[in-house]
Amino acid sequence: MTKDSQQTAAIQVALRIRPLTGRDRAQPRFANLAQDDVLKVHESTVQVVPHNKLFTFDYVFGPDSTQNEIFSALGDKLIQKFVDGYNVTILAYGQTSSGKTYTMGTAQHSGRYNAEEEGIVPRAMAQLFDILHQTDSAIIRPPKYTVKVSFVEIYNEELIDLLNSAPPGETPPVTIREDSKGHIYWTGVKEVVVHSTDDVLFYLEQGTQNRATGSTDMNEKSSRSHAIFSVSLRQEKWMPSQTSGLSQASLSRAASPTPSRSTGSRQRPPSSLNVRPSLNDLRQPEEGDWIITSSKFNFVDLAGSERLKRTAAEGDRRKEGININAGLLALGNVISALGDSSKRSTHIPYRDSKLTRLLQDSLGGSATTLMIACASPVEYNLSETLNTLQYANRARNIKNRIERNEVEEWMTTDNIELLRGMIGKLRQEVRVLKSGS
Ligand code: ADP
Ligand code: MG
């Protein structure tokens, strides 16, 4: 396995330090602060100046980094993976007002549109459509694709569909289920087909508006809830088979009333079933199958990671705080269970929260996960910043697990020669073992 594939399989952690905002500087004692009084960046290491502690991440972006730099360094590759058929997740972690929403670009407000300030989601979608639209016109059967988005919020361990603005009594209950293959799916969540980045921006804005309704203080609520913007991509690609001319198989297929279907992912899509192949078609050298790839990209803007003690811990608010911490706590536990090789065979506590349950498919396994830890450069936030750095540092442990599991990764290869060789060897071994006993 090459170094590159190890890197892409591993969980990556990026740290982004936001610049001082007008609000920070409005406080007289911070008016003369420099951007790097608290956190100093040296390449991919950050120094916590007052504690003289160092943390290393896969990427570290200082206060001057632009949205464009962030996307080129992080988003670009992930979209390519997504198009290649992998599940991808980006998690934005950090205390409230550390820049999670700004970095992810999950909030869209029509009145304040500024292309340079766009976050990861709009850029990722623009890139996705660019790739999907790049069709080679020489291809006889061009690939087909469907892109769908959904936008949900988890607040008080309750799932809220941000794309469904119907009154609560009229919306179907949202449930998280698992199919027989162990894949997670949600019922009752609206999934809408999108054809362009503009469509996506429209739904982001709708979701942002719905997020604000029903709460007296939008910031209050958004800092206590997780927002998950999900994109599912289904691609159908025509894969010509090696044989040319009129094979026996294609003859019998033409003679039977319905085209014979192969199993699994090589199924012909239902949409093309009603077009009976004519004998002429079958004589074409481009005999083959439609290969179907499905992948999901989750953009997760996590609840603020600040600890309860700093919030007004009273009544309902206290409950919210605890529940949100439960989601982040469960995420932390899942991350460390995945990262700790001694726990590898024990179960991963996905069921401990709605957040981890929803993200089950995207955490560990063959999925690609990026955590963007967001931090504030202000001394007042120092203890939360340290917590963020420690949490993010723990997330990096997953890397070890994935490197050690590279055999499993390798098993997902589509290199048939490799697999044949391996099966041949194993059969040989079984024969030897059997004859020896
Ligand atoms: P969070 O979602 O973590 O609570 P926000 O993304 O809302 O934080 O950021 C808090 C404030 O800081 C917002 O006003 C946002 O526009 C600003 N901000 C955050 N990161 C940056 C950045 N990298 N550059 C400029 N402004 C930023
Ligand atoms: Mg936010």
Side-chain angles (χ1 to χ4, degrees), residues 81-97:
K81 281 235 118 190
F82 177 52
V83 175
D84 288 346
Y86 290 90
N87 287 347
V88 182
T89 295
I90 303 183
L91 302 158
Y93 183 90
Q95 74 174 118
T96 297
S97 98

Side-chain angles (χ1 to χ4, degrees), residues 95-97 99-102 106-107 211 219 222-223 225 301-302 304:
Q95 74 174 118
T96 297
S97 98
K100 297 181 297 294
T101 305
Y102 180 86
T106 19
R211 217 179 164 189
N219 287 333
S222 78
S223 69
S225 68
D301 187 353
L302 291 167

Side-chain angles (χ1 to χ4, degrees), residues 16-19 21 63 65 67 94-103 117 301:
R16 185 183 202 186
I17 303 160
R18 73 157 165 78
T21 58
S65 58
Q67 296 285 66
Q95 74 174 118
T96 297
S97 98
S98 58
K100 297 181 297 294
T101 305
Y102 180 86
T103 300
E117 292 220 75
D301 187 353

Side-chain angles (χ1 to χ4, degrees), residues 4 49 61 69 75 80 98 145 170 183 201 254 266 268 285 308 342 346 384 390 396 400 402-403 405 432:
D4 189 49
V49 178
F61 298 97
E69 279 163 27
Q80 198 54 59
S98 58
Y145 60 85
E170 292 164 31
H183 293 137
L201 294 181
R266 292 173 75 86
R268 253 180 108 92
L308 193 58
S342 65
T346 61
E384 291 302 341
Q390 277 153 1
R396 290 192 84 209
N400 300 332
I402 289 193
E403 278 174 7
N405 267 7
V432 169

